[in-house]
Amino acid sequence: MNDTLPTSEALRAALAGLLDGLPPKQAAQAVDRLIASYRGTTPTDAPVLRDRADVVAYAAYRMPATFEAVRAALDALREAAPEWAPATHTDVGGGTGAASWAVAGAWDGTDTTVLDWAEPALALGRELAEAGGPPGLRAARWQRARIGSALELAPTDLVTVSYVLKELTPAARTELADAAAGAAQAVVVVEPGTPDGYARVIEARDRLIAAGMTVAAPCPHSSACPIEPGTDWCHFSARVSRSSLHRQVKGGTLSHEDEKFSYVVATRFPVEPVAARVTRRPQIRKGQVLLELCTRDEALRRETVTKRHGALYRAARDTDWGDAWPPPEQD
């Protein structure tokens, strides 16, 4: 790790310092407005985060969850290409930099550029990074750019696009996916784990494949998704620890929450996708574990692992939603 604290803890500490003294009621009111904005139709000619109050509320409300979702996607990329590491990274629509924190935690020394059209978000992201980010993130460039059809991306090793596509028109989403594919060796797209978010991920996945990229995760293959449109959606879950202020802002009482997300990772270099991916939370019953899998032969299937399977059964009991199956040591 590239800091004295694990990156997730460093982010929480930086957020705590930022939010110290902010009345929870004021932050909660700003969060309510942002939730309403995100659930509605967002104009593509104006950023959602308009001023520092909005950005501070957003940081408390969304950064920990976005960080964990992107970190899970990056873990899948590292699993598929363990020897690869990006020297350069562009965080498109990165806002306050949650995805960039995740990249800084995954690889040491990555040279990051954050692009966003909201200057207050960029300013706060820079402030957070300088307050407690890993060394590479403290040296990041925070640049204002309109995220849409006019965006031009310089060549880079890694592009992340997290929780951005909903804010764009369909045409702009297509152009952004094409621009990312043309600029990067690896592209990571993360969206909310809803039917609409999954649909946007599938659109991006199709564009990345059409541009000659290979799917590294979560899919075990680069063929069409086997889910029949409208019947289901592919999504995963990441556990997010909440600070006391975070609980106040979000109106929750638990020490954690589960962030549901959909994602795709595509690359221009060789990868080894998993043989199968667990696509739902495993059902543990007496003497057996039921696994819902997406497999390398482009199919969805259920696998029942029982005590008779010995070590495989024990591995199944420890397997989580989103994990590879079988585990590496069981291949």
Side-chain angles (χ1 to χ4, degrees):
M1 186 57 62
N2 48 13
D3 204 2
T4 55
L5 285 175
T7 307
S8 58
E9 293 182 20
L11 175 58
R12 285 196 294 271
L15 284 171
L18 170 72
L19 298 170
D20 185 33
L22 179 70
K25 183 177 179 180
Q26 178 184 346
Q29 289 173 342
V31 164
D32 288 342
R33 190 192 67 76
L34 289 173
I35 291 174
S37 176
Y38 275 108
R39 287 176 177 170
T41 300
T42 303
T44 57
D45 58 352
V48 174
L49 305 177
R50 303 174 303 189
D51 53 31
R52 184 178 175 87
D54 278 356
V55 175
V56 169
Y58 173 82
Y61 168 54
R62 282 301 309 166
M63 276 192 79
T66 300
F67 170 87
E68 294 296 349
V70 175
R71 179 163 71 169
L74 296 177
D75 285 346
L77 169 56
R78 296 171 73 190
E79 182 180 35
E83 301 302 318
W84 184 80
T88 54
H89 163 229
T90 301
D91 189 359
V92 177
T96 53
S100 293
W101 278 79
V103 169
W107 296 283
D108 289 327
T110 304
D111 182 6
T112 287
T113 299
V114 183
L115 304 178
D116 201 275
W117 57 8
E119 182 58 40
L122 293 168
L124 193 71
R126 183 185 299 109
E127 182 180 332
L128 282 169
E130 292 175 351
L137 189 58
R138 291 198 290 269
R141 289 171 296 279
W142 303 78
Q143 297 179 358
R144 190 172 188 184
R146 190 179 188 282
I147 310 303
S149 58
L151 181 66
E152 294 184 4
L153 296 177
T156 186
D157 291 333
L158 173 66
V159 164
T160 54
V161 184
S162 58
Y163 296 87
V164 172
L165 299 181
K166 182 182 185 299
E167 300 181 38
L168 304 178
T169 64
R173 291 198 296 264
T174 294
E175 293 187 35
L176 174 54
D178 291 349
Q185 294 300 303
V187 177
V188 176
V189 177
V190 182
E191 283 286 297
T194 62
D196 286 349
Y198 160 72
R200 290 190 292 272
V201 167
I202 288 297
E203 288 176 0
R205 181 184 187 273
D206 290 345
R207 298 302 303 182
L208 297 174
I209 293 170
M213 303 191 85
T214 298
V215 175
C219 322
H221 58 81
S222 295
S223 299
C225 177
I227 297 175
E228 184 179 345
T231 64
D232 201 353
W233 70 100
C234 181
H235 64 292
F236 302 94
S237 180
R239 179 60 53 92
V240 183
S241 297
R242 287 173 165 176
S243 66
S244 59
L245 182 56
H246 189 223
R247 292 197 296 274
Q248 290 176 340
V249 168
K250 296 199 70 172
T253 58
L254 297 177
S255 62
H256 66 271
E257 64 183 3
D258 291 324
E259 170 71 5
K260 304 299 194 303
F261 64 98
S262 296
Y263 77 98
V264 66
V265 179
T267 71
R268 292 198 177 278
F269 49 82
V271 291
E272 185 61 34
V274 299
R277 180 82 60 185
V278 180
T279 59
R280 288 289 184 271
R281 198 177 303 281
Q283 299 178 46
I284 300 178
R285 300 178 180 177
K286 186 176 181 179
Q288 63 181 12
V289 180
L290 307 182
L291 301 175
E292 301 292 339
L293 302 174
C294 180
T295 66
R296 196 171 286 172
D297 59 3
E298 307 164 29
L300 301 172
R301 64 177 172 87
R302 171 177 286 187
E303 182 167 321
T304 301
V305 186
T306 69
K307 282 187 175 180
R308 293 178 301 170
H309 292 96
L312 196 63
Y313 170 72
R314 292 189 292 274
R317 289 183 61 87
D318 292 333
T319 294
D320 202 358
W321 185 4
D323 285 351
W325 185 258
E329 65 270 17
Q330 302 292 336
D331 284 345

